[in-house]
Amino acid sequence: SQQGEEDPQALSIQEGENATMNCSYKTSINNLQWYRQNSGRGLVHLILIRSNEREKHSGRLRVTLDTSKKSSSLLITASRAADTASYFCATIYSGTYKYIFGTGTRLKVLA
Amino acid sequence: SQTIHQWPATLVQPVGSPLSLECTVEGTSNPNLYWYRQAAGRGLQLLFYSVGIGQISSEVPQNLSASRPQDRQFILSSKKLLLSDSGFYLCAWSRQRTSGGTSTDTQYFGPGTRLTVL
């Protein structure tokens, strides 16, 4: 079964609003990553947070990690129409190169 | 800089026909290589990964196979396609980890191949 599960499955907001999506996972991890996928395209890496980090920022992105709850959140501030995409979290089984991707959140930003 | 290529971009094949999708990486050596399949509107399913030439790990037992004949070449094949093989196939690479490090775990994806089996 997939390790990562995102919620909500779909999110529709107005331009300028903040978008928050959550990810849960099941086993111990070394790090957790977030990726973005535009429709019909490959995934693009957004940000990586290590298991000993609680929060990380990159531009308009803010990621938090709670290893006690096995969960992470991605916040996109001041969203733009160009942020419309699917967002996935990914983790790696400890000691392996096996990535497990979540089911994704489809974000639609309305202009 | 590193680039990853996949071809073809789209493919329509009849049931029972063979399949060969190719992925190549430029600008790096000894990458870890991955094949994923994505059903419409769904997440990614890891099919195969390889940490070196001739080393293939299969995650999903099915009628697909993978080969890595060269360091930066990864091929996904099937002898006879099924309707259920339709989907979006993505190739990706990541760097080998350095001793004690995890910061190299970022995956870089190709543009994908849209496969429709009729």
Side-chain angles (χ1 to χ4, degrees), chain B residues 3 14 22 28 48 52 55 64 66 71 75 90 97:
Chain B
T3 55
E22 188 163 344
T28 189
F48 301 95
Q55 300 178 62
L64 298 174
D71 181 45
I75 297 172
L90 288 160
R97 291 187 185 127

Side-chain angles (χ1 to χ4, degrees), chain B residues 72-93:
Chain B
R72 290 168 290 177
Q73 184 184 29
F74 207 23
I75 297 172
L76 183 69
S77 304
S78 174
K79 293 182 179 178
K80 289 186 177 182
L81 284 169
L82 307 173
L83 287 174
S84 58
D85 291 324
S86 292
F88 190 50
Y89 288 80
L90 288 160
C91 180
W93 72 274

Side-chain angles (χ1 to χ4, degrees), chain B residues 24-40:
Chain B
T24 59
V25 180
E26 296 178 354
T28 189
S29 59
N30 197 26
N32 299 318
L33 296 171
Y34 304 82
W35 278 112
Y36 293 91
R37 179 170 61 199
Q38 185 178 31

Side-chain angles (χ1 to χ4, degrees), chain A residues 52-105:
Chain A
N52 62 353
E53 297 176 314
R54 291 297 169 259
E55 187 172 312
K56 196 164 184 178
H57 297 255
S58 176
R60 293 184 296 113
L61 304 180
R62 173 178 169 254
V63 171
T64 62
L65 179 65
D66 188 334
T67 53
S68 66
K69 296 181 179 179
K70 291 186 168 57
S71 67
S72 175
S73 67
L74 172 67
L75 169 67
I76 303 174
T77 60
S79 63
R80 306 165 181 168
D83 293 328
T84 295
S86 291
Y87 292 83
F88 296 90
C89 67
T91 55
I92 304 174
Y93 283 137
S94 294
T96 78
Y97 286 102
K98 181 180 173 182
Y99 291 72
I100 303 297
F101 282 80
T103 50
T105 293

